[in-house]
Amino acid sequence: MNTTTRFSARVRLALVVLAFLGLSASPLVAQGEEERVAVRVASYNVEFGKNASAEEIGAMFKPYNLDIIGFCEAPDGDWTARVGKTLEMDHVYVGTISSANHKDKYKTILSKTPLEVTQELPINGGAAWNPASAVRAVTTIRGVSIAFYSLHIAGSDGKVGHAVELATKVLPKEAAKRYIVVGDYNNRLGDHAMDILADTGMNITWNDLVIDVAPLYTYNALKPEINGGVIDHILYNAASGGKSTDGGIIELEKPLSDHKPVWAEITFPVDK
């Protein structure tokens, strides 16, 4: 084989290798399947930070490599930013409505990616404690735009109350193609209040992950004998084509709040 022939063979081999790498460049792409992006989210009611510092909570979340976190009952001021400093997440939105007008029970969002169109939506229906609210922001994660909500609402029977207002007045106005709603719903899976949210076209990650939450609880982490059930949830709109692929309740040896944190990985189809 002369030098020119050897060179041509090497070029052909290189082209084959590059073609193969091109097919497998993304870990989320399988041959014959649509491209999807994984988004890792968490929700945590931190009970106004009375049991742990912002830095301790940030350190707890580090292994989960989260893209965005929704906090409720969070302190005002720079508390959420301090969590973000530990996690190298620089983008923060802090609401101005404190749940039930108690001290330092704000809803906040912490994100790796910039937050846009930030707003707070009051939710005051029913005779339970008021005011309640949800904070909302839009962010783009690996090329996928998502509207993200962090809320704290009172439990209800699903006939009147915060869940009904969320289902009938807040979420129907959402125009984003993909949206995620996390927080302390104060209702268990199977309660009518959660069913009406599912009826609006929302999926609950526990169902995707086939996790039986009936024997589990997220409240009260500090007093397990109370066992208020799993009342912290992550929902996303089914029309987004999303699918939960991982997640669960984060079980801590030393609780950092009266609630347990919850997290999920949701994959979304990439727009063509």
Side-chain angles (χ1 to χ4, degrees):
M1 183 182 294
N2 61 33
T3 302
T4 303
T5 304
R6 285 198 302 271
F7 177 77
S8 297
R10 288 171 183 167
V11 170
R12 286 196 297 271
L13 177 60
L15 290 173
V16 169
V17 171
L18 287 172
F20 173 77
L21 291 175
L23 285 173
S24 57
S26 171
L28 294 176
V29 178
Q31 193 168 4
E33 295 182 1
E34 64 183 351
E35 184 179 0
R36 300 179 72 86
V37 165
V39 177
R40 296 171 71 89
V41 308
S43 177
Y44 201 9
N45 179 327
V46 296
E47 197 185 11
F48 50 95
K50 75 172 188 177
N51 297 297
S53 69
E55 290 72 21
E56 286 176 301
I57 288 173
M60 176 273 295
F61 273 132
K62 258 191 174 180
Y64 295 88
N65 191 26
L66 298 165
D67 294 299
I68 192 164
I69 305 170
F71 292 105
C72 61
E73 294 197 16
D76 198 4
D78 69 349
W79 183 92
T80 303
R82 286 167 49 208
V83 178
K85 187 174 181 180
T86 302
L87 292 169
E88 298 181 353
M89 300 172 76
D90 298 330
H91 305 281
V92 175
Y93 176 57
V94 179
T96 60
I97 299 173
S98 189
S99 295
N101 286 325
H102 292 170
K103 180 177 172 57
D104 277 341
K105 290 190 176 182
Y106 296 94
K107 278 67 67 177
T108 74
I109 298 172
L110 175 63
S111 176
K112 279 184 179 177
T113 47
L115 299 173
E116 302 174 348
V117 201
T118 55
Q119 61 186 133
E120 185 161 27
L121 304 163
I123 303 172
N124 295 315
W129 56 262
N130 286 304
S133 69
V135 290
R136 175 191 180 273
V138 176
T139 192
T140 300
I141 300 171
R142 288 177 285 283
V144 171
S145 178
I146 296 166
F148 184 86
Y149 294 75
S150 176
L151 61 74
H152 183 205
I153 60 176
S156 69
D157 61 6
K159 297 177 182 177
V160 294
H162 296 160
V164 172
E165 185 167 341
L166 181 67
T168 61
K169 297 182 179 179
V170 177
L171 295 181
K173 296 179 181 177
E174 180 55 65
K177 183 175 182 178
R178 310 168 192 86
Y179 50 97
I180 300 171
V181 187
V182 311
D184 177 1
Y185 289 78
N186 274 304
N187 276 109
R188 304 185 191 203
L189 196 64
D191 288 352
H192 185 50
M194 299 305 298
D195 289 342
I196 65 165
L197 289 169
D199 289 344
T200 67
M202 301 297 289
N203 283 347
I204 302 174
T205 57
W206 309 125
N207 293 333
D208 282 357
L209 299 170
V210 197
I211 296 176
D212 180 9
V213 295
L216 307 177
Y217 65 96
T218 56
Y219 178 83
N220 187 317
L222 295 169
K223 299 177 180 178
E225 66 277 8
I226 291 178
N227 191 348
V230 173
I231 58 175
D232 300 87
H233 308 286
I234 297 171
L235 282 64
Y236 65 92
N237 65 314
S240 67
K243 179 73 175 178
S244 307
T245 54
D246 201 358
I249 299 168
I250 299 176
E251 301 287 353
L252 302 173
E253 186 175 342
K254 176 192 173 185
L256 303 179
S257 171
D258 60 348
H259 285 246
K260 298 178 182 181
V262 298
W263 77 283
E265 179 181 271
I266 307 169
T267 68
F268 294 100
V270 174
D271 292 334
K272 299 300 183 183

